[in-house]
Every structure is written in structure tokens, then in C-alpha cells.
Amino acid sequence: MKTNLILLFFALTAFSVRAQYRFTGHVDNTQWHNNVYLSIIEDYRKMSGVYSEQIIAKTSTDSLGYFKFTGNQLENENRIYRIHVDNCFDDAQNQNHFDGNCDDSKEVIFIAKNTDSIEFPFTFDKQMFCDINSSNEKSNVFVKIDSIREEMKFAFSQYRSEANRKLNNKKWFKTLQDFGKKLNEPIAELYIYSFLSDRRNDLHEHYLEDLMDNTYYDNLLNRLNETYPNSPYTKQYKAELTSDEFIINKDTGMGFSWNYVLYPLLAVSLMGNFWFWFSLKKQQTVTVNKAKEQLTKQEQNILNLLLEEKSNKEIADALFVSLSTVKTHVNNIYKKLNVQSREAIKSLFNS
């Protein structure tokens, strides 16, 4: 029993060790300050730069410039991480980093999860990383994408004409999108998407045109939902895609219009008002006719003369009755029709 417990202890210990991440590398201490930062990037629009709110760990290099990050607090599925060095010292970090920028810095962006071991080799002057040796085959996809972007920059720099720019836009859009799909990693495709859709570069106009009829973007959303259904990347991409699709549909007149709702509602309202007015009028006519039927023949004669705006004396002369008889009939008409004046009678029968 005791032996079994010891074996179980060592098994759990070995598992916990294996579950830890380990990121190591080397920095030239003569070029950089000895602080090294590890950040998690949950907003793919903030991949490049120095953002203090993204930093999750900090370590210092040894006398030879080597550094190490280790632990088990990272996500268990792939996320985007950054390791960077800079010469914006801690005592001035708020001043230098408040806008997500430190002019004197170097960074590497990579994909990792909590169980990965990654080594970042040092290279030539003013460049900290050239390659990534990792247990996660997806870790170095950003390096591959950046190599294509460098080729793209060279192609654009050869000829600066408008015609050359348009041709290169179409060529490199497809090149980058096709390469992203071959990587079989939706997060890597987001790295490409964030570059192609960036409003600050010349490619954004072509991106909006491409979004109108290219199913690539909806397919990317499907791949993100399948692989990372609850990640912040999927939620951010879905929101941005919805916004951009609304913009292009609005600009082309293809989007949703409130007129499609307001006009039918207005028509229904008018029809409803007409029906209500017609029903009310019909009801008033029925009520008036019923009230009129309560009157005697003589009272109906007097009513007709009242509607002709005859005075009591004129009514008496026309019907050859006394003035007091007319007054009596008029009072009876008021009571039966539930009115108080001649104006009310006119309003009742002329409405």
C-alpha cells in the first residue's frame, strides 16, 4: 500500500512537471536591458507593440543573457503570446508604454499553450529572434507569415505606380489567404486577416471589395467556431466581420433598410385608422338612427327645422303650433338624443 502511494505521488509529480510550460532564450545584455516580458495577446489588433495590460510575467536574464519563463498558469489551448525586451525602464514604464509603444524594443509573437517547451535562439545585431524551436508545431507560424510579408513589401517597393499597387493587392491577398488556410490554424489566419483588413494600410480598400463576394471570411468564422468556440479571438472576429459587412452593404445599398419595416407599418397604421374611422362613423350612424326612431312624428319635424337653424318662433309659425308647444318638444328632443343644445344636435347629425 505504501509503495503504491509513493508510485502515485511520483506519477502525479511527473504529470505536473510535464503540464508546465517552459520558454527559454538568450538576449544580448550589451544591447538590451536585462528585463524580459511575457504577454498574452487576446486582442489580435494589438499583436505588435508594448502593452503593459497584456504582460503576465517578467523575468531577468542571467549574467550571460539567458532567460526562462516557466509555470502552469497559461491556457490549455493555443493562444497568442509575445516575449519582448526593451530599454524603457520600469521606473518610466507608464510614461513610455501608455500608448502601446516603446521605440527601443524587440519582440517575438508566437502561438503556445500551457504544456509547450519553446526555445528562442539569438541572432545577429539588433534582432533578438530568428527561429523558434518548439514542441508545438504551430508556434512558429507567425515567422513564416512574416517572411511572406517581407516578400510582399519588396514587390510593392519595386514600382510605386497605381497600376502596380492594384495588381499586387490582388496577388498578395490571395497568396496570404491561401497560405493561411494551408497552415490549418485559424489563429494564424487571424494574424493575416488583421494585416489585410487594417484601416491604416492601402490593402483595406481591397479588403472591403473582397469581403463583398469572397466566402473566405465566413469560412474562417466557421473554422474559429469549430476550433476555438469560446475564445476572445472568435468573438472579436465575429463582431468585426458583422460590422464590416454592414458597412459595405450600406454603401452599396444592399444592406438592411428600416424603410422595409417603416413603410409596411405606416400602411398598416393608415389602414387601421381608416377602419377605425369607418367603424366609428358606422356606429354613430346606427346610434343616431336609433335615437331618431324614438322621436314622435312631430318631434322629427321639429328636429328637421332645428337642423335648418330655425328659431322656436319660426318653427311655431311653420307648424301652426304655439311657442310653448315648440319649447316642450325641443326639451323632449334634447332628452331623447342626450344633448344639451342646438349645436350638439347639429354636431350629432352632421358628423
Side-chain angles (χ1 to χ4, degrees):
M1 181 67 178
K2 184 176 181 180
T3 302
N4 291 337
L5 289 175
I6 294 174
L7 291 174
L8 178 61
F9 171 77
F10 280 109
L12 292 174
T13 303
F15 176 79
S16 64
V17 171
R18 287 197 302 271
Q20 290 185 338
Y21 69 89
R22 180 183 174 88
F23 304 151
T24 60
H26 179 269
V27 176
D28 184 354
N29 282 346
T30 64
Q31 183 72 37
W32 302 101
H33 187 53
N34 66 341
N35 285 340
V36 185
Y37 303 90
L38 173 64
S39 301
I40 182 171
I41 303 173
E42 295 186 325
D43 180 351
Y44 56 76
R45 294 292 177 186
K46 293 183 177 181
M47 286 196 192
S48 181
V50 179
Y51 299 91
S52 58
E53 71 272 12
Q54 295 177 343
I55 297 174
I56 56 176
K58 182 182 78 170
T59 190
S60 298
T61 61
D62 62 17
S63 59
L64 298 178
Y66 288 96
F67 69 86
K68 177 178 67 176
F69 290 101
T70 186
N72 61 0
Q73 80 271 27
L74 302 189
E75 297 288 341
N76 292 321
E77 63 179 17
N78 284 339
R79 290 289 188 269
I80 304 172
Y81 294 93
R82 179 199 300 113
I83 289 179
H84 85 270
V85 294
D86 65 50
N87 290 324
C88 299
F89 300 105
D90 287 345
D91 56 357
Q93 186 169 353
N94 290 335
Q95 178 181 351
N96 289 296
H97 294 177
F98 78 97
D99 59 353
N101 180 58
C102 177
D103 292 335
D104 195 5
S105 66
K106 199 69 181 179
E107 65 184 24
V108 61
I109 304 170
F110 58 98
I111 292 176
K113 55 182 180 292
N114 196 46
T115 57
D116 291 341
S117 295
I118 308 177
E119 179 185 356
F120 301 95
F122 174 77
T123 65
F124 49 87
D125 184 38
K126 290 192 176 181
Q127 184 169 340
M128 192 171 69
F129 311 103
C130 69
D131 195 8
I132 298 176
N133 298 320
S134 174
S135 59
N136 186 342
E137 63 178 357
K138 304 296 178 62
S139 293
N140 63 348
V141 293
F142 294 146
V143 175
K144 297 177 180 178
I145 295 171
D146 284 340
S147 66
I148 296 179
R149 288 176 57 181
E150 288 299 319
E151 294 179 28
M152 178 181 176
K153 291 179 183 178
F154 177 76
F156 272 82
S157 64
Q158 284 185 308
Y159 301 99
R160 298 185 179 275
S161 67
E162 181 70 14
N164 181 64
R165 184 181 69 83
K166 290 182 178 180
L167 288 174
N168 275 308
N169 278 346
K170 295 180 179 179
K171 172 188 174 182
W172 289 105
F173 244 84
K174 183 169 176 54
T175 299
L176 284 166
Q177 287 179 348
D178 289 346
F179 182 76
K181 286 188 288 187
K182 290 178 182 178
L183 292 173
N184 194 30
E185 175 50 67
I187 292 180
E189 291 185 79
L190 283 182
Y191 184 55
I192 295 172
Y193 167 78
S194 66
F195 169 67
L196 296 179
S197 62
D198 192 337
R199 289 175 170 82
R200 296 170 296 181
N201 65 38
D202 293 337
L203 298 171
H204 183 254
E205 181 180 349
H206 183 75
Y207 155 70
L208 292 178
E209 295 176 358
D210 194 54
L211 182 59
M212 293 177 63
D213 53 17
N214 193 342
T215 59
Y216 167 82
Y217 304 97
D218 290 330
N219 293 334
L220 174 54
L221 179 59
N222 292 334
R223 289 192 289 274
L224 284 165
N225 279 321
E226 290 174 2
T227 311
Y228 304 104
N230 299 314
S231 76
Y233 310 126
T234 303
K235 296 175 183 177
Q236 180 182 359
Y237 177 74
K238 182 178 181 180
E240 288 189 0
L241 190 62
T242 301
S243 175
D244 288 343
E245 287 177 339
F246 176 82
I247 290 173
I248 62 174
N249 288 334
K250 180 180 179 182
D251 290 342
T252 57
M254 296 166 55
F256 174 80
S257 174
W258 281 107
N259 291 337
Y260 296 142
V261 175
L262 294 178
Y263 288 158
L265 286 177
L266 180 60
V268 170
S269 176
L270 289 173
M271 292 175 63
N273 289 336
F274 177 78
W275 178 85
F276 177 77
W277 176 84
F278 179 78
S279 298
L280 181 62
K281 185 70 175 177
K282 184 178 180 181
Q283 182 64 34
Q284 287 178 340
T285 302
V286 172
T287 302
V288 168
N289 289 337
K290 286 185 177 180
K292 197 172 182 179
E293 290 175 358
Q294 300 177 25
L295 303 179
T296 64
K297 182 64 176 177
Q298 187 70 332
E299 288 172 345
Q300 291 183 15
N301 292 333
I302 293 176
L303 173 63
N304 292 332
L305 293 172
L306 287 173
L307 294 175
E308 294 177 7
E309 298 186 356
K310 301 292 186 181
S311 66
N312 287 348
K313 185 177 185 311
E314 290 174 330
I315 294 173
D317 292 340
L319 297 179
F320 303 104
V321 295
S322 65
L323 186 59
S324 61
T325 300
V326 172
K327 291 181 178 179
T328 300
H329 284 309
V330 169
N331 288 332
N332 289 337
I333 292 173
Y334 283 178
K335 291 179 182 179
K336 291 179 180 181
L337 298 182
N338 194 27
V339 296
Q340 302 294 326
S341 66
R342 293 174 180 242
E343 293 299 324
I345 290 177
K346 288 168 58 180
S347 176
L348 181 63
F349 284 90
N350 293 329
S351 61

